[in-house]
Amino acid sequence: MKKSFIYLSVAAFAMLCFTACSDDDEPDKKDPDPVVPVSTGAYILTQGNYWDKIEGSLDVIDYSKSTISQNVFVKANGRSMGATPQCGIAYGSKIYLGMYQSKTIEIIDANTYKSIKQINLPESGFDGTEPRWMVAHNGKIYVSMYDGYVSRLDTLSMAIDASVKVGPNPEMIEIHGNNLYVPNSDGMNHPNYGTTASIVSLDSFKEISTFTVPMNPKQFISVGGNLYLISMGNYNDVAAALYKIESDNTYTEITKATIAASKDNVLYLINFPYGGTPSYAKYDVSSNSLTSLSFDEVPAPTGLGVDPVTGSLIISSYLDNNYESYNLPGNVYQYDNNGKFVKKYDCGIGAPCIFFNSAL
């Protein structure tokens, strides 16, 4: 497995970003996250290669036409998104995109891809400048910042309105209950990775507690009323795994895994350890049953998304597991909700971030 899948592109590494969608920029307070009955496609955010000056891109799959449109931001705006696209989310009529190296957030129209506003994070007036991951809830976008903060973006003013300090190098945050769970990887301190997670109250937007987790926590996932965590270990003798987080914040290992995405009561999992061969599974959280899956078409997976409406599985991949793939356009593989292969698409380099336009 490529280390580009493990770390940031600024270090010639890549990370997974899987995001959730909601319905409106100012949702109904009684029903802030309504179920949307249609979904027309998927967004693929690629990171490119920072060191070789190859830009990332926003590519869009259209289900009805079985096509992918590449570099839609550049084509719509005549300029670059910025260096190292890292995370994205569709929310209401807009798409929010975080650029790690450029320290910016682009807010674009979800239909035309025209830029509405670019937020220069060092000039926002709040701490936190390196976007890592996004989730949305009740008219706010929450963004983990790799320099040790979580920021809150108001979708009406389209501005950062608060930030809270958490642990070092926070990764893929998740909303569970009325709290935000933050994995503090301390990834820039390798091999001495972090072993803590922060809990941030959505009401007060303050860190209310921390707790101990397995080494190098990467991704929290809330599914079926339960909270799960993928921790990456040390890429050597401590393997990456999926853990269930209990109500008292203790944890139990479920299975080995490096990437996760969820729909309903099912977690879809990829295990692609460094130097190893990828394997796939799904875990039903209601029955605690683990079932192996097979996606033989995918040589070196970098990202995984599950459409929240259709159940379509989207897996991004490098061309192979060799270093040369860092500089070559990759592929995206589409499967139906039964895991049947649908189509292979070309995309940009290093595509760890997959999200969906089911909020439109």
Side-chain angles (χ1 to χ4, degrees), residues 146-165:
Y146 208 58
D147 46 344
Y149 296 86
V150 174
S151 296
R152 188 178 66 194
L153 192 162
D154 181 79
T155 59
L156 293 181
S157 66
M158 294 187 292
I160 303 295
D161 66 8
S163 69
V164 57
K165 185 173 178 56

Side-chain angles (χ1 to χ4, degrees), residues 135-247:
V135 294
H137 178 68
N138 206 23
K140 306 288 186 180
I141 307 294
Y142 296 91
V143 188
S144 61
M145 301 291 187
Y146 208 58
D147 46 344
Y149 296 86
V150 174
S151 296
R152 188 178 66 194
L153 192 162
D154 181 79
T155 59
L156 293 181
S157 66
M158 294 187 292
I160 303 295
D161 66 8
S163 69
V164 57
K165 185 173 178 56
V166 290
N169 308 134
E171 299 277 357
M172 300 167 70
I173 56 179
E174 177 71 300
I175 294 170
H176 184 66
N178 200 40
N179 294 318
L180 195 63
Y181 283 77
V182 184
N184 301 312
S185 71
D186 205 3
M188 299 303 286
N189 193 31
H190 56 86
N192 302 309
Y193 298 104
T195 57
T196 69
S198 299
I199 303 177
V200 174
S201 167
L202 292 180
D203 290 333
S204 66
F205 200 54
K206 295 183 182 299
E207 184 186 64
I208 56 176
S209 66
T210 61
F211 61 98
T212 300
V213 294
M215 179 187 294
N216 198 3
K218 183 182 80 168
Q219 178 186 11
F220 276 113
I221 316 106
S222 180
V223 55
N226 299 310
L227 184 65
Y228 295 86
L229 170 69
I230 283 184
S231 286
M232 297 300 292
N234 63 6
Y235 314 105
N236 189 3
D237 59 316
V238 180
L242 173 74
Y243 299 86
K244 182 181 180 182
I245 306 298
E246 305 294 347
S247 58

Side-chain angles (χ1 to χ4, degrees), residues 239-243 253-258 269-271 279 290:
L242 173 74
Y243 299 86
E253 182 177 330
I254 303 299
T255 188
K256 304 302 181 189
T258 56
L269 304 168
I270 298 175
N271 187 38
S279 60
L290 189 68

